[in-house]
Amino acid sequence: INLSILMNKKQKIVVVAGPTASGKSDLAVKIAKKFNGEIISADSRQVYRGMDIGSGKITKKEMEGVPHYLLDVASPKQRFTVAQFKKLADKAIENIARRNKLPIICGGTGFYIQAVIDDLLIPQIKPDFKLRARLEKKTTEELFAELKKLDPRRAKNIDRRNPRRLIRALEIIYKTGQVVPSIYNSPQPSLKLREGAPPLILRGGWEELNLLFLGIKKSPEELARRIKIRLEKRLKQGMIKEVERLREQGISWKRLESFGLEYRWLARFLQNKISREEMIERLQKDIGHFAKRQMTWFKRDPRIRWVENSKQAENLLKKFIA
C-alpha cells in the first residue's frame, strides 16, 4: 500500500483525537453518518480480541451501522506493533477511499495516528529476546531513566509505569540506532548506537495530505467527571469478569499488567494484592494521568482544530469537504 497515491489525489482524511473519556467514538460516528465516512480505530489496546470493556471498545450498537476497522485484529497473547498498525491502517484507508467514502481515523494513541498521517517509515523490528531479558531485570524507574536519557521527547509521553512499552521503546532505539524524528521541531541528530542501522525517517510530509485534524477539548474538571462515571459504568458492565475470562484463556498476570490502566489494577486486585477500594482509587488516578499525557502529545500538533461539541466539528467538516 502506498499512501502517496492517495496524497497525490488530495484524498481527504479526517482525524478525531483527544484524551480518554472525551467522547471521540460518539463524535466519529456522528461525522461518519453525516458525511459518508467509515472509521479506523487508532487505539493500542482495542486491536486485541477479548479486551472490550477495559479498553472502552465501541459496541456494535454504538457503531450505528458505521463500518469500523482495526478492532479485534490481534491476539492479546501476541505483541502488536505500531508498524503492524500502520500497514493495516494504510490498507483500510485505501479501501475506504476507493469506494468514495471518507476515511476517519479515531483514537487516543497519538503515535498510531502520527504513524499514518505523517507516513512514518517504521522498520519491522524483530524481538531481541536477549536484550529484553537484560532490560526485564531492571525496575520501571531504571527503564524510564534510561529512555529519558536516550529519547527525552518520547519519555514525556510514554506510560512510565508500563514496563512493556518502556522495553519496546528502548528496543527500537538500540536496534535501529535512532529515535523517531519529531515533525514539530527541527530534526534531532540520530543516536550513533550501531553502524548500518536502518533509517527511521519521515517520507513525504503532512503538507501533502488533505487532512482535517479534530481534537476534542474538555475542561480538566469535566474530563475527571467523565472518567469517574465511565469507570463506574465499566465495573457494572463486567470489567472484572472480562479480565477473569482473559486469564482463563491463558493470558498471564504479567501480560495483563503490561497492558496498563484498567488491566494492570484489575489484575492486581484479582491476585489479592490490593483491595477493591484501592483498585478504584488507583485506576481513577492513573486514568487521569494518562489523559494528561495524551493531551501533552496532541497539544504539540499545530494542525489540530479543537472543538467542544459536534456542531463545531460539523461546521468544520462542511468547509473541509466543500
Side-chain angles (χ1 to χ4, degrees), residues 191-212:
L191 294 172
K192 300 299 183 182
L193 298 176
R194 183 167 63 85
E195 290 298 324
L200 191 62
I201 60 175
L202 288 169
R203 289 184 284 124
W206 65 264
E207 293 87 355
E208 299 177 36
L209 192 63
N210 199 352
L211 173 73
L212 177 61

Short mmCIF file of all heavy atoms in Angstrom, two decimals, residues 191-212:
data_model
loop_
_atom_site.label_atom_id
_atom_site.label_comp_id
_atom_site.label_asym_id
_atom_site.label_seq_id
_atom_site.Cartn_x
_atom_site.Cartn_y
_atom_site.Cartn_z
N LEU A 191 21.00 8.84 17.11
CA LEU A 191 21.91 8.23 18.07
C LEU A 191 22.86 7.29 17.32
O LEU A 191 22.41 6.47 16.53
CB LEU A 191 21.12 7.42 19.11
CG LEU A 191 20.22 8.23 20.03
CD1 LEU A 191 19.37 7.30 20.85
CD2 LEU A 191 21.05 9.11 20.94
N LYS A 192 24.13 7.39 17.55
CA LYS A 192 25.10 6.54 16.87
C LYS A 192 25.35 5.29 17.73
O LYS A 192 26.39 5.12 18.35
CB LYS A 192 26.41 7.30 16.64
CG LYS A 192 26.24 8.55 15.79
CD LYS A 192 25.71 8.20 14.38
CE LYS A 192 25.60 9.44 13.51
NZ LYS A 192 25.05 9.13 12.18
N LEU A 193 24.36 4.42 17.76
CA LEU A 193 24.47 3.24 18.60
C LEU A 193 25.00 2.04 17.81
O LEU A 193 25.60 1.14 18.37
CB LEU A 193 23.12 2.88 19.21
CG LEU A 193 22.52 3.94 20.12
CD1 LEU A 193 21.14 3.50 20.58
CD2 LEU A 193 23.40 4.18 21.32
N ARG A 194 24.74 2.03 16.51
CA ARG A 194 25.14 0.87 15.72
C ARG A 194 25.32 1.28 14.28
O ARG A 194 24.48 1.97 13.71
CB ARG A 194 24.06 -0.22 15.83
CG ARG A 194 24.42 -1.51 15.09
CD ARG A 194 23.46 -2.62 15.51
NE ARG A 194 22.09 -2.33 15.14
CZ ARG A 194 21.58 -2.61 13.93
NH1 ARG A 194 22.33 -3.15 12.99
NH2 ARG A 194 20.31 -2.34 13.65
N GLU A 195 26.39 0.86 13.67
CA GLU A 195 26.65 1.18 12.27
C GLU A 195 25.68 0.41 11.38
O GLU A 195 25.36 -0.76 11.64
CB GLU A 195 28.10 0.83 11.89
CG GLU A 195 29.13 1.74 12.52
CD GLU A 195 28.98 3.19 12.08
OE1 GLU A 195 28.64 3.43 10.92
OE2 GLU A 195 29.19 4.08 12.93
N GLY A 196 25.22 1.05 10.32
CA GLY A 196 24.35 0.38 9.36
C GLY A 196 22.93 0.18 9.84
O GLY A 196 22.19 -0.64 9.31
N ALA A 197 22.52 0.91 10.88
CA ALA A 197 21.16 0.77 11.40
C ALA A 197 20.15 1.26 10.38
O ALA A 197 20.39 2.24 9.67
CB ALA A 197 21.01 1.57 12.70
N PRO A 198 19.00 0.58 10.24
CA PRO A 198 18.00 1.01 9.27
C PRO A 198 17.42 2.36 9.64
O PRO A 198 17.26 2.66 10.83
CB PRO A 198 16.93 -0.09 9.36
CG PRO A 198 17.10 -0.67 10.71
CD PRO A 198 18.56 -0.60 11.01
N PRO A 199 17.12 3.21 8.67
CA PRO A 199 16.63 4.55 8.97
C PRO A 199 15.21 4.54 9.50
O PRO A 199 14.41 3.69 9.14
CB PRO A 199 16.70 5.26 7.61
CG PRO A 199 16.54 4.16 6.62
CD PRO A 199 17.24 2.99 7.23
N LEU A 200 14.92 5.46 10.38
CA LEU A 200 13.58 5.66 10.91
C LEU A 200 13.22 7.10 10.58
O LEU A 200 13.51 8.01 11.33
CB LEU A 200 13.58 5.43 12.42
CG LEU A 200 12.23 5.34 13.13
CD1 LEU A 200 11.43 4.16 12.60
CD2 LEU A 200 12.43 5.17 14.61
N ILE A 201 12.67 7.33 9.40
CA ILE A 201 12.51 8.69 8.88
C ILE A 201 11.10 8.95 8.40
O ILE A 201 10.29 8.04 8.27
CB ILE A 201 13.48 8.93 7.70
CG1 ILE A 201 13.20 7.93 6.57
CG2 ILE A 201 14.93 8.82 8.15
CD1 ILE A 201 14.01 8.16 5.32
N LEU A 202 10.82 10.21 8.16
CA LEU A 202 9.54 10.61 7.58
C LEU A 202 9.63 10.56 6.06
O LEU A 202 10.61 10.99 5.49
CB LEU A 202 9.20 12.03 8.01
CG LEU A 202 8.79 12.23 9.46
CD1 LEU A 202 8.77 13.71 9.76
CD2 LEU A 202 7.43 11.63 9.71
N ARG A 203 8.61 10.02 5.42
CA ARG A 203 8.50 10.09 3.97
C ARG A 203 7.46 11.12 3.63
O ARG A 203 6.39 11.16 4.23
CB ARG A 203 8.09 8.74 3.40
CG ARG A 203 9.18 7.70 3.49
CD ARG A 203 8.76 6.42 2.81
NE ARG A 203 7.82 5.68 3.64
CZ ARG A 203 6.61 5.31 3.24
NH1 ARG A 203 6.18 5.63 2.06
NH2 ARG A 203 5.83 4.62 4.03
N GLY A 204 7.72 11.94 2.64
CA GLY A 204 6.75 12.95 2.25
C GLY A 204 6.67 14.02 3.32
O GLY A 204 7.66 14.56 3.77
N GLY A 205 5.48 14.30 3.77
CA GLY A 205 5.27 15.32 4.79
C GLY A 205 3.79 15.62 4.87
O GLY A 205 3.04 15.31 3.95
N TRP A 206 3.37 16.16 5.99
CA TRP A 206 1.92 16.32 6.16
C TRP A 206 1.35 17.36 5.23
O TRP A 206 0.13 17.40 5.01
CB TRP A 206 1.59 16.61 7.61
CG TRP A 206 2.09 17.90 8.18
CD1 TRP A 206 3.22 18.07 8.90
CD2 TRP A 206 1.48 19.18 8.12
NE1 TRP A 206 3.35 19.37 9.29
CE2 TRP A 206 2.30 20.08 8.83
CE3 TRP A 206 0.31 19.67 7.54
CZ2 TRP A 206 1.99 21.42 8.96
CZ3 TRP A 206 0.00 21.01 7.67
CH2 TRP A 206 0.83 21.86 8.37
N GLU A 207 2.17 18.23 4.65
CA GLU A 207 1.64 19.23 3.73
C GLU A 207 0.98 18.57 2.52
O GLU A 207 0.14 19.15 1.87
CB GLU A 207 2.76 20.16 3.26
CG GLU A 207 3.34 21.05 4.35
CD GLU A 207 4.44 20.35 5.11
OE1 GLU A 207 4.69 19.17 4.84
OE2 GLU A 207 5.04 21.00 5.98
N GLU A 208 1.42 17.33 2.20
CA GLU A 208 0.89 16.64 1.03
C GLU A 208 -0.51 16.08 1.27
O GLU A 208 -1.20 15.72 0.33
CB GLU A 208 1.82 15.48 0.65
CG GLU A 208 3.23 15.90 0.30
CD GLU A 208 4.08 14.69 0.00
OE1 GLU A 208 3.56 13.73 -0.59
OE2 GLU A 208 5.26 14.71 0.35
N LEU A 209 -0.90 15.96 2.52
CA LEU A 209 -2.14 15.28 2.85
C LEU A 209 -3.27 16.28 3.07
O LEU A 209 -3.11 17.28 3.76
CB LEU A 209 -1.93 14.45 4.13
CG LEU A 209 -3.01 13.44 4.50
CD1 LEU A 209 -3.14 12.37 3.44
CD2 LEU A 209 -2.66 12.79 5.84
N ASN A 210 -4.42 16.01 2.46
CA ASN A 210 -5.60 16.86 2.63
C ASN A 210 -6.30 16.42 3.91
O ASN A 210 -7.19 15.56 3.89
CB ASN A 210 -6.51 16.71 1.41
CG ASN A 210 -7.49 17.86 1.29
OD1 ASN A 210 -7.58 18.71 2.18
ND2 ASN A 210 -8.23 17.90 0.21
N LEU A 211 -5.89 17.01 5.01
CA LEU A 211 -6.24 16.49 6.33
C LEU A 211 -7.02 17.50 7.16
O LEU A 211 -6.69 18.68 7.19
CB LEU A 211 -4.94 16.14 7.07
CG LEU A 211 -5.03 15.73 8.54
CD1 LEU A 211 -5.62 14.33 8.67
CD2 LEU A 211 -3.65 15.79 9.18
N LEU A 212 -8.05 17.00 7.85
CA LEU A 212 -8.73 17.77 8.89
C LEU A 212 -8.52 17.02 10.19
O LEU A 212 -9.02 15.91 10.38
CB LEU A 212 -10.22 17.91 8.60
CG LEU A 212 -11.02 18.65 9.70
CD1 LEU A 212 -10.52 20.07 9.89
CD2 LEU A 212 -12.51 18.65 9.38
#
